[in-house]
């Protein structure tokens, strides 16, 4: 596994989720104060760090590498298909584009209707925890398959987190300009490609091009997704 | 029951098809005497393609 590819995948996956979390946290800070937003965010951050810290070593110690690939690979395939098909639907117009500005407005309206301080903390906690959980699962599973590259996997997520925090502080507004569907497409292709490769390797398959088969999968899935966007667009227009 | 449903949706993105398609692909990877890599890859790709024709979630 190329460490840059690994870090890049966790970076893009994390960036998408952190943008969504930042939108919710900003809505809480805007309506119920920075303290409530920070308390909820810190609580969720601790819970996520505990999940990653406990999950990776448990998985890595419990199973041999080929068994880990067979356990982790199918989850990556499922996540990859879930992300990529949503991106295809959005590009084809079968599903609304993810609109952070609309989410921000909805959160603000709901929070203004409820002035309870602890409700704001709970909303920030839930937003950060739920959005971060998918990233945590990806970081844990990648680290489990290649334990020596755990720093690269976590590093990609941390760089994304730092960039989103800087952007959130600088903008203090929904990060709607981030091309979320493009990021989700890239992550979907990466997850699906890695998942296919690892599941097959875990099942004892001999890949045609050795390790380079992974890059063939990336190219093939990107082309198939682009073709599917065209097919669904035509079907929607007909 | 609701929790199980939420966990299922979290993992599969709400697809009813992908877990079965993937299970079939893994079974093919273990069970077939020849062309295992080809059959496995074709089934995973077919599962992805078919899943895009499900109702958007």
């Amino acid at each position: 596994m190329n460490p840059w590819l690994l870090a890049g995948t966790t970076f893009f996956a994390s960036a998408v989720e952190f943008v969504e979390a930042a939108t919710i946290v900003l809505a809480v800070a805007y309506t119920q104060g920075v303290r409530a937003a920070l308390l909820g965010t810190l609580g969720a951050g601790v819970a996520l760090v505990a999940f990653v810290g406990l999950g990776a070593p448990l998985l890595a110690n419990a199973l041999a590498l080929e068994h880990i690939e067979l356990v982790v690979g199918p989850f990556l395939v499922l996540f990859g298909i879930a992300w990529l098909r949503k991106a295809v639907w959005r590009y084809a117009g079968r599903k609304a584009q993810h609109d952070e500005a609309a989410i921000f407005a909805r959160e603000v309206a709901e929070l203004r209707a409820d002035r309870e301080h602890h409700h704001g903390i709970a909303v920030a906690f839930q937003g950060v925890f739920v959005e971060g959980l998918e990233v945590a699962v990806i970081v844990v599973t990648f680290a489990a398959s290649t334990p020596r590259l755990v720093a690269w996997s976590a590093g990609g997520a941390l760089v994304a987190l730092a960039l989103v925090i800087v952007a959130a502080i600088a903008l203090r507004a929904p990060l709607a300009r981030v091309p979320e569907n493009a990021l989700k497409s890239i992550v979907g292709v990466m997850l699906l490609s890695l998942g296919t490769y690892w599941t097959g390797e875990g099942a004892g398959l001999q890949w045609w091009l050795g390790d380079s088969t992974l890059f063939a999968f990336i190219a093939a899935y990107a082309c198939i997704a682009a073709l599917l966007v065209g097919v669904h667009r035509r079907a929607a227009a007909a | 029951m609701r929790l199980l449903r939420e966990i299922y949706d979290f993992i599969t993105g709400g697809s009813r098809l992908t877990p079965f398609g993937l299970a079939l692909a893994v079974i093919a990877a273990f069970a077939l005497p020849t062309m295992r890599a080809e059959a496995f890859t074709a089934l995973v790709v077919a599962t992805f393609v078919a899943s895009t024709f499900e109702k958007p979630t």
Side-chain angles (χ1 to χ4, degrees), chain A residues 39-61:
Chain A
L39 279 174
T41 303
L42 282 175
V46 169
L48 286 169
V49 166
F51 179 82
V52 175
L54 289 174
L58 280 178
L59 267 177
N61 290 332

Side-chain angles (χ1 to χ4, degrees), chain A residues 16 45 52 91 97 122 124 130 138 145 168 182 200 202 204 219:
Chain A
V16 171
V52 175
Y91 278 128
Q97 293 274 344
V130 170
I138 290 166
S145 281

